[in-house]
Amino acid sequence: MDLIRDVLDNQIVDRNQRKMGKVDGIVVKLRDDRPPRLTYLETGATTLARRLHPRLHDWVANLASCWGAKQTKSLRIPWEKVRNVGIDVEVDIEAEQTSALAYEIWLREHLIKRIPGGQ
Amino acid sequence: MLVACSQSPQDKQGDAITTTQSWIATARMTGEAWQQGKLPDAYTEQTLIKSQQKIVQQNRSKVIPSPLSEQLQQTLRQMIADVQQHRRNTIASSLEKLSNEQHQLESLAKNRGVQR
Amino acid sequence: MSKLFEIALGIITSIGGFLDVGAIATAAEAGSNFGFQLIWAIVLGTVCVVFLVEMSGRLAAVSKHTLADAIRERFGFNFYILPLIAEVIVDFLVLGAEIGGVCIALQLVTGVHFQWWALPVAFAIWLLLWKGTFGLIENGISLLGLVTLGFVVATFELRPALPALAKGLLPTVPHQDTAHYLFIAVSILGALISPYLFYFYSSGAVEDEWDESDLGVNRAVAGLGMGFGSIVSLGVLIVAAQVLHPQGIQVDSYEQAALMLTQTFGYWGFILFAASLGIACFGAALEVNLDTAYVTAQAFGWNWGENLHPKQAARFSSVYTVFVFLAALLMVIGTDPLQLTLFSMALTAVILPITIIPFLVLMNDPEYVGQHHNGWISNGVVIFTIALAFILAIVAIPLEIIGG
C-alpha cells in the first residue's frame, strides 16, 4: 500500500458507512533501529490547513477557536481502528461520538434544525 | 489582430451609430408588435423607455446631429405615451416617423462609412 | 424495456438540462450580431461536451468516485484546492446569472423590475433543494424544460437558407468587430462546456449508484441528450439570425432577445420566450447551486447527497442555503444580467484547463477506469477544444474589456 496515494486525502467512513471527513494527515512514529510505525490518521481543518501553509494553520486555528463548535484540534484515529482501505478508508468507530463531526453537529443544531422542515 | 481591434475615435463613433440603430430597430419592432397585440403593455413601455435611454446614452458625443436626435426623442416620447394610453391606432403615425428617422440615420451612417 | 425508458428519460432531461442562461444568451447574441457565422462554435462545443459528459458518467460508474472525489484523491488536496476555488468563484457568477435569467423572465411577463424578483427566486430555488429529492429536480424541472423546443419549431417555420447555414459550420473571422466575435465564440464554448455539468453529472451517477452495466445507457444519454440539447441552442441562434439580425438589432439586453419569437408565434411567442428563459435558468440554477454544495462537501469529505434529509448532511445543506442567497445579491444590487452572463461564460472558458486536464488524466488511469479508459479520439477532441477555448479566452477577454 502506498500511504500518500491510497490513504492521504481519501474519504473516511465510520462503521455505519457514514462519511466523517477525509484523511488530512498521517502520523508516523520514528523508532531507533526499527522501521517507522504508522500510528494515527488525522482528520480536521487545522491539519489540512497546515499542509497547505503553516501560517494558514494558525489562522484557521484562531478562526475555529472563536466561531461555531470551537474545535481546534484534529481528530486522531489510531491505525488499529482502520478496517479497510479501498475507495474509502473504513474505520471502526462511531462518527457521531467523535470530534470529527463537531461542526456538522454544531450547524445541525444551530442552523438546520431552526429552519422549518429541518427537524 | 491587436492592431485591428484597437479602437480609433472613428470606430467609437461608428459603434455609437450602430448601437443607436440597433435600439431604434428594437423600438420599432416592439412598437409594431404591440400594435398587432403581440406584446404586453408593461414590457412594451419598459422596452421603449430603455431604447430612449440607450439612444441618449450613445449620443453623449453628439454623433447624431441635433435636429435628428431631437426628432427621435420626440417620436419615442410619443410612442411611450401611446402605449401608456393604449392608443393602438395612433401609434401607427409614430412608427412611420420612426422608420423615417431610421432611414435618415442609415444614410448618415453610410456617409460616414459605417458598415453593419 | 427499463433500459429504454431510462435512456428516453435521460435524453429528455438532458434536453431540458442542456439549456441555461449561458446557452440562450450567447446564442441570441451570436445570431443577432453575426448571423450564422458562429454556428461552428456551438457544434464544436457540443461535440466536446458530449465526450466530457460521457466520461464523467463512465468515471462514476466504473470507479464509484465523483469527479471531485477522484481529483482530490489522485492529485491530493493541495492541488484540488485550485480547481475547487476556481469552480466556486465561477459557480457564484453563473448562479447569479441564472437567477438573473429567471428574474428577467418574470420581469418580461409581469413588468415588475428584475431586482425585486431576486430574493423570491432564490427562496424558491432553496425550497426545492430543501424539500426535493434528486430525481424530482432532475426529471421534473427538465420535463418542463421541453418548452424550449419552441425555438426548434420556430427554426423550421422560418425556413433558413441551408447553404448559408452550412457556411456557418466553417469558422471564419469577420473584418468588423473581430474582438467581439472572438469574445462571443469564447462565451459560447464556455456556456456549453461548463465544468459544473461534469461534477454534477458524476455526483448524480454516484447518488443513483451506477455500475458498469449502466455504461451503455450513459453513452446513449450523453450523446443523444446533449446532441438534441444543442439543437435547441442552434435554434436560438438561427431564430435570432433570421429575425433580429436583418433588422439590425444587436442584442445587448434581454428585452431585445425577447422579441425573437413574436414574428413566428405572435403573443404566445413572447410568452414562450419568457417561459423558456425562466424554466431553463431555474433548472440550471438548481444544478449550479447543488454543484457548489457537492464540490465543497466532496472536497472536505463531508456527508453529502440531495436524497438525504438536510439534518443528515448539515454542512452540505448549509452550503447551498447560504450560497444561493449570496449569489442572488448580485441581482439585488442591480448587476446587468446579460453582461454578467456573457462575462461568467467567458470566464468559464479560462478555468476549463485546470479542471479538464486532471479529469483527462483520470480517464486514462487504469487505477480508476480499468479497461474502460479513453481512446485517442476522445482525448484528442477534448484537448483540442479546451486548448482553443482557453487561448481564445485569454486573447478575447482583455480585448472585450478594453473595447467596452
Side-chain angles (χ1 to χ4, degrees), chain B residues 1-2 4-5 7 12 15 18-19 21-23 25-26 28-30 32-33 37-40 42-43 46-47 50 54 102 115-116, chain C residues 107-108 110-112 176-179 182 243-244 246-250 252-253 255-256 258-259 262-263 266-267 270 395 399 403:
Chain B
M1 195 159 63
L2 273 166
C5 301
Q7 285 222 322
K12 276 224 166 97
D15 275 359
T18 316
T19 310
Q21 284 175 317
S22 161
W23 279 102
T26 306
R28 193 175 153 195
M29 197 172 166
T30 309
E32 283 169 357
K38 291 178 180 173
L39 291 175
Y43 162 81
Q46 280 170 353
T47 307
K50 190 155 193 171
K54 292 279 177 180
Q102 199 177 15
Q115 284 173 354
R116 263 212 327 254
Chain C
Q107 178 187 325
L108 291 175
T110 63
V112 177
Q176 297 279 316
D177 278 344
T178 319
L182 292 177
V243 176
L244 303 178
Q247 307 257 3
I249 297 178
Q250 302 186 336
D252 49 28
S253 173
E255 283 94 333
Q256 294 167 299
L259 293 165
T262 50
Q263 217 177 60
Y267 183 81
F270 177 79
V395 173
L399 287 177

Short mmCIF file of all heavy atoms in Angstrom, two decimals, chain B residues 1-2 4-5 7 12 15 18-19 21-23 25-26 28-30 32-33 37-40 42-43 46-47 50 54 102 115-116, chain C residues 107-108 110-112 176-179 182 243-244 246-250 252-253 255-256 258-259 262-263 266-267 270 395 399 403:
data_model
loop_
_atom_site.label_atom_id
_atom_site.label_comp_id
_atom_site.label_asym_id
_atom_site.label_seq_id
_atom_site.Cartn_x
_atom_site.Cartn_y
_atom_site.Cartn_z
N MET B 1 -3.73 41.34 -35.14
CA MET B 1 -5.11 41.35 -34.66
C MET B 1 -5.29 42.45 -33.62
O MET B 1 -6.27 43.19 -33.62
CB MET B 1 -5.43 40.01 -34.04
CG MET B 1 -6.91 39.81 -33.84
SD MET B 1 -7.27 38.07 -33.69
CE MET B 1 -6.37 37.68 -32.22
N LEU B 2 -4.26 42.59 -32.76
CA LEU B 2 -4.34 43.62 -31.73
C LEU B 2 -4.51 44.99 -32.36
O LEU B 2 -5.29 45.81 -31.90
CB LEU B 2 -3.07 43.59 -30.88
CG LEU B 2 -3.12 42.62 -29.71
CD1 LEU B 2 -1.75 42.40 -29.13
CD2 LEU B 2 -4.07 43.12 -28.65
N ALA B 4 -5.72 45.64 -35.33
CA ALA B 4 -7.02 45.75 -35.98
C ALA B 4 -8.13 46.03 -34.97
O ALA B 4 -9.14 46.63 -35.32
CB ALA B 4 -7.32 44.46 -36.74
N CYS B 5 -7.92 45.59 -33.74
CA CYS B 5 -9.02 45.69 -32.78
C CYS B 5 -8.96 46.93 -31.90
O CYS B 5 -9.91 47.24 -31.21
CB CYS B 5 -9.06 44.47 -31.90
SG CYS B 5 -9.25 42.98 -32.84
N GLN B 7 -9.31 50.59 -30.69
CA GLN B 7 -10.39 51.45 -31.12
C GLN B 7 -9.93 52.87 -31.43
O GLN B 7 -9.41 53.56 -30.56
CB GLN B 7 -11.45 51.49 -30.03
CG GLN B 7 -12.25 50.20 -30.01
CD GLN B 7 -13.70 50.47 -29.81
OE1 GLN B 7 -14.08 51.35 -29.05
NE2 GLN B 7 -14.54 49.73 -30.49
N LYS B 12 -15.16 54.33 -32.54
CA LYS B 12 -16.07 54.58 -31.42
C LYS B 12 -17.35 55.23 -31.91
O LYS B 12 -18.45 54.86 -31.50
CB LYS B 12 -15.38 55.49 -30.39
CG LYS B 12 -14.50 54.72 -29.43
CD LYS B 12 -14.70 55.20 -27.99
CE LYS B 12 -14.10 54.21 -27.01
NZ LYS B 12 -12.75 54.58 -26.57
N ASP B 15 -19.38 52.68 -33.68
CA ASP B 15 -20.06 51.82 -32.70
C ASP B 15 -21.30 52.50 -32.14
O ASP B 15 -22.35 51.88 -32.00
CB ASP B 15 -19.11 51.50 -31.54
CG ASP B 15 -18.22 50.32 -31.85
OD1 ASP B 15 -18.37 49.77 -32.96
OD2 ASP B 15 -17.39 49.95 -31.00
N THR B 18 -24.01 52.38 -34.69
CA THR B 18 -24.57 51.03 -34.83
C THR B 18 -25.47 50.69 -33.65
O THR B 18 -26.57 50.14 -33.83
CB THR B 18 -23.42 49.99 -34.89
OG1 THR B 18 -22.42 50.47 -35.76
CG2 THR B 18 -23.94 48.66 -35.39
N THR B 19 -25.00 51.02 -32.43
CA THR B 19 -25.81 50.71 -31.25
C THR B 19 -27.12 51.51 -31.28
O THR B 19 -28.19 50.97 -30.97
CB THR B 19 -25.04 51.04 -29.96
OG1 THR B 19 -23.76 50.43 -30.05
CG2 THR B 19 -25.76 50.52 -28.74
N GLN B 21 -28.68 52.56 -33.94
CA GLN B 21 -29.55 51.91 -34.95
C GLN B 21 -30.20 50.67 -34.38
O GLN B 21 -31.38 50.40 -34.61
CB GLN B 21 -28.72 51.54 -36.18
CG GLN B 21 -28.38 52.73 -37.05
CD GLN B 21 -27.45 52.35 -38.19
OE1 GLN B 21 -26.50 51.60 -38.00
NE2 GLN B 21 -27.74 52.86 -39.37
N SER B 22 -29.41 49.90 -33.62
CA SER B 22 -29.94 48.68 -33.03
C SER B 22 -31.11 48.98 -32.10
O SER B 22 -32.13 48.29 -32.12
CB SER B 22 -28.82 47.94 -32.30
OG SER B 22 -29.33 47.01 -31.39
N TRP B 23 -30.98 50.05 -31.31
CA TRP B 23 -32.07 50.35 -30.36
C TRP B 23 -33.27 50.98 -31.05
O TRP B 23 -34.41 50.80 -30.63
CB TRP B 23 -31.56 51.23 -29.21
CG TRP B 23 -30.87 50.40 -28.17
CD1 TRP B 23 -29.53 50.25 -27.98
CD2 TRP B 23 -31.51 49.54 -27.21
NE1 TRP B 23 -29.28 49.37 -26.96
CE2 TRP B 23 -30.47 48.92 -26.46
CE3 TRP B 23 -32.83 49.23 -26.90
CZ2 TRP B 23 -30.74 48.02 -25.43
CZ3 TRP B 23 -33.09 48.34 -25.87
CH2 TRP B 23 -32.06 47.75 -25.16
N ALA B 25 -34.19 50.13 -34.06
CA ALA B 25 -34.84 48.95 -34.63
C ALA B 25 -35.62 48.20 -33.56
O ALA B 25 -36.73 47.69 -33.82
CB ALA B 25 -33.79 48.04 -35.26
N THR B 26 -35.05 48.15 -32.35
CA THR B 26 -35.74 47.48 -31.25
C THR B 26 -37.06 48.19 -30.95
O THR B 26 -38.12 47.54 -30.82
CB THR B 26 -34.87 47.49 -29.98
OG1 THR B 26 -33.60 46.93 -30.29
CG2 THR B 26 -35.52 46.70 -28.85
N ARG B 28 -38.78 50.05 -32.87
CA ARG B 28 -39.72 49.90 -33.97
C ARG B 28 -40.38 48.53 -33.95
O ARG B 28 -41.61 48.39 -34.05
CB ARG B 28 -38.97 50.11 -35.29
CG ARG B 28 -39.92 50.28 -36.44
CD ARG B 28 -39.15 50.62 -37.69
NE ARG B 28 -39.94 50.14 -38.83
CZ ARG B 28 -39.44 50.01 -40.04
NH1 ARG B 28 -38.17 50.30 -40.29
NH2 ARG B 28 -40.21 49.58 -41.01
N MET B 29 -39.57 47.50 -33.78
CA MET B 29 -40.12 46.15 -33.76
C MET B 29 -41.08 45.98 -32.58
O MET B 29 -42.13 45.36 -32.71
CB MET B 29 -38.97 45.13 -33.66
CG MET B 29 -39.39 43.74 -34.04
SD MET B 29 -37.96 42.64 -34.13
CE MET B 29 -38.78 41.06 -34.15
N THR B 30 -40.68 46.56 -31.44
CA THR B 30 -41.55 46.48 -30.26
C THR B 30 -42.88 47.18 -30.53
O THR B 30 -43.96 46.64 -30.26
CB THR B 30 -40.86 47.14 -29.05
OG1 THR B 30 -39.55 46.60 -28.92
CG2 THR B 30 -41.62 46.90 -27.77
N GLU B 32 -44.32 47.90 -33.38
CA GLU B 32 -45.13 47.20 -34.38
C GLU B 32 -45.81 45.97 -33.79
O GLU B 32 -47.00 45.72 -34.02
CB GLU B 32 -44.26 46.80 -35.58
CG GLU B 32 -43.96 47.98 -36.50
CD GLU B 32 -42.88 47.68 -37.54
OE1 GLU B 32 -42.32 46.55 -37.52
OE2 GLU B 32 -42.59 48.58 -38.33
N ALA B 33 -45.03 45.22 -33.01
CA ALA B 33 -45.61 44.01 -32.42
C ALA B 33 -46.71 44.38 -31.42
O ALA B 33 -47.74 43.70 -31.33
CB ALA B 33 -44.52 43.19 -31.73
N GLY B 37 -50.94 43.65 -31.16
CA GLY B 37 -51.40 42.92 -29.97
C GLY B 37 -50.54 41.73 -29.61
O GLY B 37 -50.99 40.78 -28.97
N LYS B 38 -49.25 41.77 -30.02
CA LYS B 38 -48.39 40.62 -29.76
C LYS B 38 -47.55 40.78 -28.49
O LYS B 38 -46.79 39.88 -28.14
CB LYS B 38 -47.44 40.39 -30.94
CG LYS B 38 -48.12 39.92 -32.21
CD LYS B 38 -47.09 39.78 -33.32
CE LYS B 38 -47.71 39.31 -34.62
NZ LYS B 38 -46.73 39.34 -35.71
N LEU B 39 -47.65 41.94 -27.83
CA LEU B 39 -46.81 42.17 -26.65
C LEU B 39 -47.63 42.77 -25.51
O LEU B 39 -48.54 43.57 -25.75
CB LEU B 39 -45.66 43.14 -27.00
CG LEU B 39 -44.58 42.65 -27.94
CD1 LEU B 39 -43.62 43.79 -28.25
CD2 LEU B 39 -43.82 41.47 -27.36
N PRO B 40 -47.30 42.42 -24.27
CA PRO B 40 -47.99 43.04 -23.14
C PRO B 40 -47.57 44.51 -22.98
O PRO B 40 -46.47 44.90 -23.39
CB PRO B 40 -47.54 42.22 -21.93
CG PRO B 40 -46.35 41.45 -22.37
CD PRO B 40 -46.34 41.39 -23.85
N ALA B 42 -46.85 46.39 -20.28
CA ALA B 42 -45.76 46.73 -19.36
C ALA B 42 -44.41 46.54 -20.03
O ALA B 42 -43.54 47.41 -19.98
CB ALA B 42 -45.86 45.87 -18.10
N TYR B 43 -44.26 45.40 -20.68
CA TYR B 43 -42.99 45.12 -21.37
C TYR B 43 -42.73 46.16 -22.45
O TYR B 43 -41.62 46.68 -22.58
CB TYR B 43 -43.02 43.72 -21.99
CG TYR B 43 -41.96 43.52 -23.06
CD1 TYR B 43 -40.66 43.20 -22.70
CD2 TYR B 43 -42.25 43.69 -24.41
CE1 TYR B 43 -39.67 43.06 -23.67
CE2 TYR B 43 -41.29 43.55 -25.38
CZ TYR B 43 -40.00 43.23 -25.01
OH TYR B 43 -39.02 43.10 -25.96
N GLN B 46 -41.64 49.49 -20.96
CA GLN B 46 -40.28 49.40 -20.41
C GLN B 46 -39.24 49.37 -21.51
O GLN B 46 -38.19 50.01 -21.42
CB GLN B 46 -40.14 48.14 -19.56
CG GLN B 46 -40.72 48.30 -18.18
CD GLN B 46 -40.78 46.96 -17.44
OE1 GLN B 46 -40.50 45.91 -18.02
NE2 GLN B 46 -41.14 47.02 -16.19
N THR B 47 -39.53 48.62 -22.57
CA THR B 47 -38.54 48.48 -23.64
C THR B 47 -38.38 49.80 -24.39
O THR B 47 -37.27 50.19 -24.76
CB THR B 47 -38.94 47.35 -24.58
OG1 THR B 47 -39.17 46.18 -23.80
CG2 THR B 47 -37.85 47.06 -25.60
N LYS B 50 -36.36 52.05 -22.26
CA LYS B 50 -34.96 51.63 -22.28
C LYS B 50 -34.30 52.06 -23.59
O LYS B 50 -33.16 52.54 -23.59
CB LYS B 50 -34.86 50.12 -22.12
CG LYS B 50 -33.45 49.63 -21.89
CD LYS B 50 -33.42 48.31 -21.17
CE LYS B 50 -32.04 47.99 -20.65
NZ LYS B 50 -32.01 46.84 -19.77
N LYS B 54 -31.02 54.39 -23.91
CA LYS B 54 -29.81 53.92 -24.57
C LYS B 54 -29.40 54.88 -25.69
O LYS B 54 -28.22 55.13 -25.90
CB LYS B 54 -30.03 52.52 -25.16
CG LYS B 54 -30.20 51.45 -24.11
CD LYS B 54 -28.86 51.00 -23.59
CE LYS B 54 -29.05 49.98 -22.49
NZ LYS B 54 -27.80 49.49 -21.93
N GLN B 102 -35.15 56.42 -38.96
CA GLN B 102 -34.23 55.28 -39.10
C GLN B 102 -33.50 55.37 -40.44
O GLN B 102 -32.29 55.16 -40.51
CB GLN B 102 -35.05 53.99 -39.03
CG GLN B 102 -34.24 52.76 -38.71
CD GLN B 102 -35.12 51.53 -38.58
OE1 GLN B 102 -36.29 51.53 -39.01
NE2 GLN B 102 -34.59 50.47 -38.03
N GLN B 115 -20.22 50.40 -41.48
CA GLN B 115 -20.84 49.19 -42.03
C GLN B 115 -21.42 48.37 -40.91
O GLN B 115 -20.89 48.35 -39.81
CB GLN B 115 -19.81 48.35 -42.76
CG GLN B 115 -19.46 48.92 -44.10
CD GLN B 115 -18.31 48.15 -44.71
OE1 GLN B 115 -17.75 47.27 -44.08
NE2 GLN B 115 -18.00 48.48 -45.92
N ARG B 116 -22.52 47.73 -41.25
CA ARG B 116 -23.07 46.83 -40.26
C ARG B 116 -22.58 45.45 -40.53
O ARG B 116 -22.63 44.99 -41.63
CB ARG B 116 -24.59 46.83 -40.32
CG ARG B 116 -25.17 47.74 -39.31
CD ARG B 116 -26.52 47.23 -38.80
NE ARG B 116 -27.34 46.53 -39.74
CZ ARG B 116 -28.44 47.06 -40.29
NH1 ARG B 116 -28.78 48.26 -40.04
NH2 ARG B 116 -29.16 46.32 -41.10
N GLN C 107 -39.81 39.52 -15.12
CA GLN C 107 -40.00 40.93 -15.47
C GLN C 107 -40.71 41.06 -16.81
O GLN C 107 -41.60 41.90 -16.98
CB GLN C 107 -38.66 41.66 -15.52
CG GLN C 107 -38.79 43.12 -15.92
CD GLN C 107 -37.46 43.82 -16.14
OE1 GLN C 107 -36.48 43.55 -15.45
NE2 GLN C 107 -37.42 44.73 -17.11
N LEU C 108 -40.32 40.24 -17.78
CA LEU C 108 -40.94 40.30 -19.10
C LEU C 108 -42.45 40.10 -19.00
O LEU C 108 -43.23 40.79 -19.64
CB LEU C 108 -40.35 39.23 -20.03
CG LEU C 108 -38.90 39.41 -20.48
CD1 LEU C 108 -38.44 38.21 -21.29
CD2 LEU C 108 -38.74 40.69 -21.30
N THR C 110 -44.45 40.18 -16.09
CA THR C 110 -45.22 40.97 -15.13
C THR C 110 -44.95 42.47 -15.21
O THR C 110 -45.75 43.27 -14.73
CB THR C 110 -44.88 40.55 -13.68
OG1 THR C 110 -43.49 40.82 -13.46
CG2 THR C 110 -45.15 39.08 -13.45
N GLY C 111 -43.78 42.85 -15.75
CA GLY C 111 -43.42 44.26 -15.76
C GLY C 111 -42.76 44.72 -14.46
O GLY C 111 -42.31 45.85 -14.36
N VAL C 112 -42.70 43.84 -13.46
CA VAL C 112 -42.03 44.20 -12.20
C VAL C 112 -40.52 44.03 -12.39
O VAL C 112 -40.07 43.00 -12.87
CB VAL C 112 -42.52 43.32 -11.03
CG1 VAL C 112 -41.76 43.65 -9.76
CG2 VAL C 112 -44.01 43.50 -10.85
N GLN C 176 -15.21 43.09 -39.48
CA GLN C 176 -15.77 44.02 -38.50
C GLN C 176 -15.87 43.33 -37.14
O GLN C 176 -16.18 42.15 -37.07
CB GLN C 176 -17.18 44.44 -38.93
CG GLN C 176 -17.22 45.20 -40.24
CD GLN C 176 -16.87 46.64 -40.06
OE1 GLN C 176 -17.34 47.29 -39.14
NE2 GLN C 176 -16.03 47.18 -40.93
N ASP C 177 -15.68 44.11 -36.07
CA ASP C 177 -15.98 43.60 -34.74
C ASP C 177 -15.28 42.29 -34.40
O ASP C 177 -15.84 41.41 -33.75
CB ASP C 177 -17.49 43.34 -34.60
CG ASP C 177 -18.24 44.60 -34.27
OD1 ASP C 177 -17.59 45.56 -33.86
OD2 ASP C 177 -19.47 44.61 -34.43
N THR C 178 -14.03 42.15 -34.83
CA THR C 178 -13.32 40.89 -34.61
C THR C 178 -13.25 40.53 -33.13
O THR C 178 -13.48 39.39 -32.74
CB THR C 178 -11.89 40.97 -35.16
OG1 THR C 178 -11.95 41.65 -36.41
CG2 THR C 178 -11.29 39.61 -35.35
N ALA C 179 -12.96 41.53 -32.31
CA ALA C 179 -12.79 41.27 -30.88
C ALA C 179 -14.09 40.73 -30.28
O ALA C 179 -14.08 39.76 -29.53
CB ALA C 179 -12.37 42.55 -30.16
N LEU C 182 -14.75 37.12 -31.37
CA LEU C 182 -13.98 36.12 -30.61
C LEU C 182 -14.53 35.96 -29.21
O LEU C 182 -14.62 34.85 -28.68
CB LEU C 182 -12.50 36.54 -30.55
CG LEU C 182 -11.76 36.51 -31.88
CD1 LEU C 182 -10.34 37.01 -31.70
CD2 LEU C 182 -11.75 35.09 -32.44
N VAL C 243 -34.46 36.66 -37.46
CA VAL C 243 -35.45 37.66 -37.07
C VAL C 243 -34.79 38.98 -36.66
O VAL C 243 -35.19 40.05 -37.10
CB VAL C 243 -36.34 37.13 -35.93
CG1 VAL C 243 -37.31 38.19 -35.44
CG2 VAL C 243 -37.10 35.89 -36.39
N LEU C 244 -33.76 38.91 -35.80
CA LEU C 244 -33.19 40.13 -35.25
C LEU C 244 -32.09 40.71 -36.15
O LEU C 244 -32.03 41.92 -36.36
CB LEU C 244 -32.64 39.88 -33.84
CG LEU C 244 -33.63 39.33 -32.83
CD1 LEU C 244 -32.95 39.08 -31.49
CD2 LEU C 244 -34.81 40.28 -32.63
N PRO C 246 -31.49 40.76 -39.47
CA PRO C 246 -31.86 41.59 -40.63
C PRO C 246 -32.38 42.97 -40.23
O PRO C 246 -32.24 43.92 -40.99
CB PRO C 246 -32.97 40.78 -41.31
CG PRO C 246 -32.89 39.42 -40.75
CD PRO C 246 -32.30 39.54 -39.40
N GLN C 247 -32.96 43.09 -39.04
CA GLN C 247 -33.48 44.38 -38.59
C GLN C 247 -32.37 45.28 -38.06
O GLN C 247 -32.61 46.44 -37.77
CB GLN C 247 -34.48 44.18 -37.43
CG GLN C 247 -35.56 43.20 -37.73
CD GLN C 247 -36.86 43.91 -38.03
OE1 GLN C 247 -36.90 45.13 -38.07
NE2 GLN C 247 -37.92 43.15 -38.24
N GLY C 248 -31.20 44.71 -37.87
CA GLY C 248 -30.11 45.49 -37.28
C GLY C 248 -30.16 45.52 -35.76
O GLY C 248 -29.52 46.36 -35.13
N ILE C 249 -30.94 44.62 -35.16
CA ILE C 249 -30.99 44.57 -33.70
C ILE C 249 -29.84 43.70 -33.20
O ILE C 249 -29.77 42.52 -33.52
CB ILE C 249 -32.33 44.00 -33.19
CG1 ILE C 249 -33.48 44.92 -33.62
CG2 ILE C 249 -32.32 43.84 -31.67
CD1 ILE C 249 -34.84 44.42 -33.21
N GLN C 250 -28.93 44.32 -32.45
CA GLN C 250 -27.84 43.56 -31.83
C GLN C 250 -28.19 43.45 -30.36
O GLN C 250 -28.29 44.46 -29.67
CB GLN C 250 -26.52 44.30 -32.00
CG GLN C 250 -26.19 44.56 -33.45
CD GLN C 250 -24.81 45.16 -33.63
OE1 GLN C 250 -24.27 45.79 -32.72
NE2 GLN C 250 -24.25 44.98 -34.79
N ASP C 252 -28.08 43.62 -26.83
CA ASP C 252 -27.24 43.86 -25.66
C ASP C 252 -28.07 44.02 -24.40
O ASP C 252 -27.65 44.61 -23.41
CB ASP C 252 -26.20 44.97 -25.85
CG ASP C 252 -26.74 46.25 -26.42
OD1 ASP C 252 -27.93 46.53 -26.23
OD2 ASP C 252 -25.99 46.97 -27.06
N SER C 253 -29.26 43.47 -24.47
CA SER C 253 -30.14 43.46 -23.31
C SER C 253 -31.19 42.36 -23.57
O SER C 253 -31.56 42.12 -24.72
CB SER C 253 -30.80 44.82 -23.17
OG SER C 253 -31.76 44.79 -22.18
N GLU C 255 -34.28 42.30 -23.11
CA GLU C 255 -35.54 42.77 -23.69
C GLU C 255 -35.53 42.60 -25.20
O GLU C 255 -36.56 42.32 -25.81
CB GLU C 255 -35.76 44.26 -23.38
CG GLU C 255 -36.24 44.53 -21.98
CD GLU C 255 -35.09 44.84 -21.05
OE1 GLU C 255 -33.97 44.37 -21.29
OE2 GLU C 255 -35.32 45.56 -20.05
N GLN C 256 -34.35 42.81 -25.80
CA GLN C 256 -34.27 42.70 -27.26
C GLN C 256 -34.41 41.26 -27.70
O GLN C 256 -35.09 40.96 -28.69
CB GLN C 256 -32.94 43.29 -27.74
CG GLN C 256 -32.87 44.77 -27.49
CD GLN C 256 -31.45 45.30 -27.66
OE1 GLN C 256 -30.54 44.89 -26.95
NE2 GLN C 256 -31.27 46.23 -28.59
N ALA C 258 -36.10 39.07 -26.32
CA ALA C 258 -37.47 38.62 -26.09
C ALA C 258 -38.36 38.79 -27.31
O ALA C 258 -39.43 38.19 -27.39
CB ALA C 258 -38.07 39.39 -24.90
N LEU C 259 -37.90 39.60 -28.28
CA LEU C 259 -38.74 39.83 -29.46
C LEU C 259 -38.64 38.71 -30.49
O LEU C 259 -39.41 38.67 -31.44
CB LEU C 259 -38.31 41.14 -30.13
CG LEU C 259 -38.57 42.43 -29.34
CD1 LEU C 259 -37.78 43.58 -29.94
CD2 LEU C 259 -40.06 42.73 -29.35
N THR C 262 -41.79 36.56 -31.48
CA THR C 262 -43.10 37.19 -31.74
C THR C 262 -43.46 37.15 -33.22
O THR C 262 -44.64 37.05 -33.57
CB THR C 262 -43.12 38.66 -31.27
OG1 THR C 262 -41.97 39.31 -31.79
CG2 THR C 262 -43.13 38.76 -29.77
N GLN C 263 -42.44 37.22 -34.08
CA GLN C 263 -42.73 37.20 -35.51
C GLN C 263 -43.39 35.88 -35.93
O GLN C 263 -44.31 35.87 -36.74
CB GLN C 263 -41.43 37.38 -36.28
CG GLN C 263 -41.59 38.21 -37.53
CD GLN C 263 -40.26 38.41 -38.20
OE1 GLN C 263 -39.59 37.44 -38.59
NE2 GLN C 263 -39.85 39.65 -38.35
N GLY C 266 -46.45 35.24 -32.56
CA GLY C 266 -47.26 36.31 -32.02
C GLY C 266 -47.12 36.45 -30.51
O GLY C 266 -46.03 36.24 -29.96
N TYR C 267 -48.23 36.77 -29.85
CA TYR C 267 -48.21 36.99 -28.41
C TYR C 267 -47.65 35.78 -27.67
O TYR C 267 -46.86 35.90 -26.74
CB TYR C 267 -49.63 37.31 -27.91
CG TYR C 267 -49.68 37.62 -26.43
CD1 TYR C 267 -49.35 38.89 -25.97
CD2 TYR C 267 -50.07 36.65 -25.49
CE1 TYR C 267 -49.37 39.19 -24.63
CE2 TYR C 267 -50.10 36.94 -24.14
CZ TYR C 267 -49.76 38.20 -23.71
OH TYR C 267 -49.79 38.50 -22.38
N PHE C 270 -43.94 35.54 -27.43
CA PHE C 270 -43.33 36.32 -26.35
C PHE C 270 -43.38 35.54 -25.04
O PHE C 270 -42.39 35.42 -24.32
CB PHE C 270 -44.09 37.65 -26.22
CG PHE C 270 -43.61 38.50 -25.09
CD1 PHE C 270 -42.46 39.26 -25.22
CD2 PHE C 270 -44.29 38.54 -23.89
CE1 PHE C 270 -42.01 40.05 -24.19
CE2 PHE C 270 -43.85 39.33 -22.84
CZ PHE C 270 -42.69 40.08 -22.99
N VAL C 395 -7.12 35.80 -25.15
CA VAL C 395 -6.99 36.88 -26.12
C VAL C 395 -8.22 37.78 -26.08
O VAL C 395 -8.12 39.01 -26.05
CB VAL C 395 -6.80 36.30 -27.55
CG1 VAL C 395 -6.84 37.41 -28.58
CG2 VAL C 395 -5.50 35.53 -27.64
N LEU C 399 -9.50 42.11 -24.72
CA LEU C 399 -9.94 42.97 -25.83
C LEU C 399 -11.36 43.46 -25.60
O LEU C 399 -11.68 44.62 -25.85
CB LEU C 399 -9.87 42.20 -27.15
CG LEU C 399 -8.48 41.95 -27.71
CD1 LEU C 399 -8.56 41.13 -28.98
CD2 LEU C 399 -7.78 43.27 -27.98
N GLY C 403 -12.39 47.28 -25.23
CA GLY C 403 -13.37 47.80 -26.17
C GLY C 403 -14.67 48.22 -25.51
O GLY C 403 -15.55 48.75 -26.16
#
